Amino acid sequence: MSLSLENITFELNTKTRDTAFFIHDGTNGLEYMMDCTFREGAYDGCEITPYLCINSIETTAVTKEELVGISFSIHSIEEADEREDSFYVFEHEPLEQYHLQILEIKNEKARIHCRGTAIVDGYANPYDTKNFEIDCWLPIITNVSDWHKFNL
């Protein structure tokens, strides 16, 4: 399971606490958020370690199984910036747009699919964007004791 950034593949780094699907109780149901860190690889003449951060998303789901099939989208840089969702290539930048869906939950892991457009160089004028797609299994963390299940 991996990240495809303009047809360059980066494997998910599962040996860090910076890769997880977090679930916690919210106001009207469960909330989830996720971090995905990918292994270092060559991109645009540099060695990079991509990282995606999607902050808390509210749902009306009561159990983690009810999260399956739920999707979430943002449609502008302003929405991503307000939520502080970011994609790291050369530095943290808001996303231009993305669509995230929870495909499965099994064996204490969540399979997510996320597709969108990331800003890869915010200093360029105009800023430079690239399409990305992520399909991966993330460890589900509901409290600090869950880390030991994944030897982290």
Side-chain angles (χ1 to χ4, degrees):
M1 301 286 175
S2 60
L3 157 70
S4 175
L5 180 63
E6 288 295 303
N7 299 318
I8 299 172
T9 301
F10 295 88
E11 294 301 316
L12 187 68
N13 183 350
T14 58
K15 303 295 182 196
T16 175
R17 287 188 176 193
D18 292 331
T19 297
F21 186 84
F22 301 95
I23 301 173
H24 60 275
D25 289 328
T27 307
N28 299 313
L30 295 177
E31 293 185 17
Y32 68 93
M33 55 195 291
M34 58 180 257
D35 293 326
C36 295
T37 300
F38 297 90
R39 297 194 185 280
E40 184 176 6
Y43 177 79
D44 200 25
C46 299
E47 289 295 312
I48 64 166
T49 305
Y51 172 77
L52 175 68
C53 174
I54 303 293
N55 286 304
S56 195
I57 298 169
E58 296 179 12
T59 75
T60 57
V62 178
T63 66
K64 65 183 176 188
E65 291 76 19
E66 291 177 35
L67 294 172
V68 174
I70 288 179
S71 62
F72 181 79
S73 298
I74 63 115
H75 305 285
S76 70
I77 294 170
E78 293 77 19
E79 282 182 82
D81 195 40
E82 183 178 312
R83 290 181 36 78
E84 298 182 4
D85 294 339
S86 64
F87 194 93
Y88 180 89
V89 174
F90 298 111
E91 62 182 70
H92 286 277
E93 301 282 1
L95 293 109
E96 191 172 71
Q97 58 85 20
Y98 69 85
H99 178 82
L100 169 71
Q101 184 171 18
I102 303 166
L103 300 177
E104 295 179 68
I105 291 183
K106 177 173 18 176
N107 300 326
E108 300 300 320
K109 292 187 176 183
R111 182 176 175 204
I112 61 98
H113 182 262
C114 187
R115 176 183 293 188
T117 306
I119 297 173
V120 295
D121 185 354
Y123 289 108
N125 189 9
Y127 59 82
D128 187 21
T129 63
K130 300 292 183 210
N131 294 326
F132 72 92
E133 185 169 0
I134 297 169
D135 188 345
C136 62
W137 286 94
L138 301 175
I140 295 173
I141 305 299
T142 59
N143 62 60
V144 71
S145 66
D146 287 342
W147 290 111
H148 81 278
K149 296 178 198 173
F150 304 102
N151 296 320
L152 296 170

